[in-house]
């Protein structure tokens, strides 16, 4: 009897091992469900909102309504930062701790944490755990996943601790805050920044620190480091002094990050230079700091030191582009990803020049990479367009506002023109779906495409349709 069952068990195990993306999706969904239940508890909301706060919706038991809790939990786990209630005035200390834990779990990956826990308890990883963890951090192999995962933990907690110390000291020295208040400020914003989550403990995000480099620069640094992706961070740690030895992936991410940050800073600063509601009242140095912070944050972080709603329409569009491209793969950033955008750009350049092979930085890109990049990009565009159309049909807001909201949700950015809490529940649930797709869709799809690659047994006759 056992011999009869063994082949079916082997086949079932093989199917599971070949689909780590599905395990990732299930893990994130479970985390969102647990977070939703915790945020629906009465202890998660404040007993008496401060004067002037927005009306606080509550369920029959005195906790957060299901839609509010689900939206917040999804936004935290998917490290987005969009909110439908004011974080500091609605959620209690318990609720803020739940949000922070969800951010940490979601930023590094549920399965990364599960694998780390397995290492700590059992000191080993099975093949299934190694495959799932490899998909989570997007490494090229599974042989030494223990050292990779421990490296992820060291980098993450190391950066967060350093930034938290700086922010804590700033609050103690600059604002004469107590140790507990300052430490919570430092830890919360350090974790939120490194994981590109964008949750803040202030109703206006970080607008009160628009000219404060001791707050803005550490947070910007954490955002950029988290957005590079763990493979790039590992390689830079080993080869930071030898750029010529960097892999093509690392070169693409680093060069793309620098270009996008410079172009974004220059564009946003120039567009808002004289706007009396944003950069207008600031000095030249403060304008450059605020413009740089906006460019960094637009690449999936979600913090803002300027009033997004008061920006010019063309600045919204600049944010749309930066948000959609996003950061590096296998990190805490969202969006289409720099490498995907770069591959598509070089494909276009190659076609325009009449080339036959796509070459990037002295290396040739395989045909399978062409297909993966094109598939991910087209599905991303389709998701954003579908969400935009549905929101336009069901809400009274303009196309500029809706498109901004849709891209922000899909790219897990968290910036908003101020309409998120005004959307009807059905529209908020649509954004929940977009955040989930944006955080896990490209990852699960890329993993599935890589694992499904197989040689064709037959080839059909070629025929060329008219293009253009």
């Amino acid at each position: 009897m056992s011999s009869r069952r063994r082949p079916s068990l082997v086949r079932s195990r093989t199917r599971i091992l070949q689909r780590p993306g599905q395990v990732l999706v299930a893990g994130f969904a479970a985390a969102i469900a647990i977070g939703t239940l915790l945020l629906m508890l009465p202890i998660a909301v404040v007993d008496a909102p401060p004067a002037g706060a927005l009306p606080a919706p509550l369920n029959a038991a005195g906790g957060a309504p299901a839609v509010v809790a689900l939206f917040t939990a999804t936004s935290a786990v998917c490290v987005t930062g969009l909110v439908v209630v004011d974080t500091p005035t609605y959620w209690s200390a318990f609720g803020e701790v739940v949000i922070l834990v969800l951010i940490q779990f979601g930023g590094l990956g549920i399965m990364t944490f599960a694998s780390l826990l397995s290492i700590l308890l059992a000191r080993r990883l099975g093949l299934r755990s190694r495959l799932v963890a490899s998909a989570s951090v997007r490494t090229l192999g599974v042989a030494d996943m223990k050292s990779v995962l421990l490296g992820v933990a060291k980098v993450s907690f190391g950066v967060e601790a350093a930034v938290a110390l700086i922010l804590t000291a700033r609050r103690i020295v600059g604002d004469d805050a107590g140790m507990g208040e300052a430490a919570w400020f430092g830890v919360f914003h350090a974790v939120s920044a490194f994981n590109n989550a964008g949750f803040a403990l202030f109703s206006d995000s970080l607008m009160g620190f628009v000219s404060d480099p001791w707050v803005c620069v550490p947070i910007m640094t954490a955002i950029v480091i988290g957005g590079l992706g763990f493979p790039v961070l590992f390689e830079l740690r080993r080869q930071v002094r030898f750029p010529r030895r960097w892999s093509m992936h690392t070169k693409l991410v680093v060069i793309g990050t620098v270009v996008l940050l410079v172009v974004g800073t220059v564009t946003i600063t120039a567009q808002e230079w004289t706007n009396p509601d944003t950069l207008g009242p600031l000095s030249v140095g403060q304008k450059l700091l605020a413009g740089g912070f906006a460019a960094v944050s637009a690449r999936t972080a979600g913090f803002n030191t300027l009033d997004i709603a008061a920006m010019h329409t063309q600045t919204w569009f600049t944010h749309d582009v930066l948000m959609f491209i996003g950061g590096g793969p296998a990190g805490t950033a969202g969006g289409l990803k720099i490498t995907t955008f770069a591959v598509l750009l070089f494909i276009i350049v190659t076609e325009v020049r009449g080339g036959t092979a796509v070459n990037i930085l002295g290396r040739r890109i395989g045909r399978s990479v062409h297909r993966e990049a094109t598939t991910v990009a087209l599905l991303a565009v389709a998701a954003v367009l579908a969400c935009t159309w549905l929101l336009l049909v069901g809400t009274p807001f303009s196309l500029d506002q809706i498109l901004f909201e849709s891209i922000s949700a899909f790219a897990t950015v968290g910036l908003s023109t101020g309409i998120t809490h005004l959307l009807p529940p059905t529209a908020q649930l649509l954004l929940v779906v977009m955040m989930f797709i944006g955080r896990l869709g490209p990852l699960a799809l890329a993993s599935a495409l890589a694992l499904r690659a197989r040689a064709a047994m037959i080839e059909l006759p070629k025929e060329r349709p008219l293009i253009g």
Side-chain angles (χ1 to χ4, degrees):
M1 182 174 178
S2 58
S3 60
R4 293 180 179 178
R5 289 185 176 182
R6 188 171 300 156
S8 62
L9 291 174
V10 171
R11 287 193 298 269
S12 177
R13 180 179 176 83
T14 302
R15 287 194 295 269
I16 293 174
L17 293 176
Q18 291 178 342
R19 298 176 182 177
Q22 294 183 3
V23 181
L24 292 175
V25 171
F28 272 79
I32 291 173
I34 294 173
T36 300
L37 294 176
L38 290 175
L39 292 177
M40 290 179 66
L41 298 175
I43 194 177
V45 300
V46 296
D47 294 329
L54 295 174
L58 299 174
N59 58 27
V67 174
V68 172
L70 174 62
F71 191 99
T72 305
T74 304
S75 185
V77 172
C78 297
V79 291
T80 305
L82 287 174
V83 295
V84 291
V85 292
D86 186 29
T87 301
T89 61
Y90 185 84
W91 301 109
S92 65
F94 174 83
E96 291 176 355
V97 170
V98 171
I99 291 172
L100 185 67
V101 173
L102 294 177
I103 290 172
Q104 188 73 84
F105 277 18
L108 298 187
I110 305 301
M111 302 316 299
T112 301
F113 269 100
S115 300
L116 285 170
L117 185 61
S118 298
I119 292 174
L120 294 176
L121 296 179
R123 295 293 178 183
R124 64 184 296 274
L125 284 176
L127 178 59
R128 174 179 176 180
S129 297
R130 281 184 285 154
L131 280 170
V132 174
S134 176
S136 180
V137 297
R138 296 302 304 280
T139 58
L140 298 178
V142 297
D144 195 19
M145 280 308 303
K146 178 179 178 179
S147 61
V148 170
L149 292 171
L150 290 176
V152 169
K154 290 178 182 178
V155 170
S156 304
F157 299 135
V159 173
E160 291 170 357
V163 174
L165 286 175
I166 297 174
L167 295 179
T168 300
R170 159 63 184 83
R171 287 285 283 173
I172 293 175
V173 176
D175 297 334
D176 197 24
M179 177 58 72
E181 178 186 351
W184 181 237
F185 168 85
V187 170
F188 190 95
H189 291 94
V191 173
S192 185
F194 177 78
N195 291 286
N196 283 213
F199 279 87
L201 297 177
F202 302 93
S203 300
D204 59 356
S205 190
L206 298 177
M207 290 175 60
F209 304 95
V210 62
S211 60
D212 191 338
W214 289 101
V215 172
C216 293
V217 173
I219 288 180
M220 291 167 64
T221 303
I223 292 170
V224 172
I225 293 175
L228 290 175
F230 293 111
V232 174
L233 294 178
F234 295 156
E235 187 167 351
L236 290 179
R237 185 175 60 179
R238 299 190 304 268
Q239 306 284 355
V240 66
R241 297 174 57 187
F242 307 99
R244 292 185 178 181
R245 300 180 185 177
W246 294 355
S247 66
M248 180 183 64
H249 172 81
T250 295
K251 291 179 181 178
L252 281 178
V253 173
V254 172
I255 294 173
T257 297
V258 173
V259 170
L260 288 175
L261 292 182
V262 172
V263 173
T265 299
V266 172
T267 305
I268 293 174
T269 304
Q271 291 171 335
E272 296 295 316
W273 189 268
T274 58
N275 188 337
D277 296 320
T278 55
L279 293 182
L282 304 178
S283 66
V284 174
Q286 293 171 348
K287 289 180 180 180
L288 294 176
L289 176 63
F293 190 95
V296 170
S297 187
R299 298 183 56 251
T300 82
F303 292 108
N304 64 282
T305 58
L306 300 173
D307 186 0
I308 302 295
M311 289 181 173
H312 297 307
T313 304
Q314 60 267 30
T315 310
W316 285 354
F317 184 75
T318 301
H319 278 75
D320 289 341
V321 175
L322 293 174
M323 290 190 299
F324 189 74
I325 296 176
T332 59
L336 186 65
K337 301 297 190 300
I338 293 174
T339 47
T340 306
F341 179 79
V343 168
L344 293 174
L345 180 63
F346 277 95
I347 289 175
I348 294 173
V349 171
T350 301
E351 289 297 326
V352 170
R353 291 181 175 179
T356 56
V358 178
N359 301 316
I360 302 178
L361 301 176
R363 294 292 187 270
R364 180 172 58 86
I365 300 298
R367 294 288 182 180
S368 61
V369 179
H370 302 188
R371 295 192 297 270
E372 288 178 24
T374 304
T375 301
V376 171
L378 289 178
L379 289 178
V381 171
V384 170
L385 291 179
C387 180
T388 301
W389 181 79
L390 291 172
L391 290 178
L392 283 173
V393 171
T395 65
F397 300 104
S398 67
L399 174 60
D400 296 327
Q401 294 172 303
I402 293 299
L403 181 62
F404 192 101
E405 202 81 8
S406 299
I407 295 177
S408 182
F410 172 79
T412 67
V413 179
L415 295 176
S416 175
T417 59
I419 66 172
T420 311
H421 68 284
L422 300 175
L423 295 172
T426 52
Q428 293 175 355
L429 291 176
L430 177 60
L431 292 183
V432 166
V433 175
M434 285 294 290
M435 289 187 286
F436 192 81
I437 292 175
R439 180 70 178 112
L440 279 173
L443 174 61
L445 177 62
S447 300
L449 290 175
L451 290 171
R452 286 173 62 86
R454 57 181 181 269
M457 302 302 294
I458 59 174
E459 290 188 3
L460 299 176
K462 290 183 178 180
E463 185 172 350
R464 180 183 178 86
L466 296 177
I467 302 297

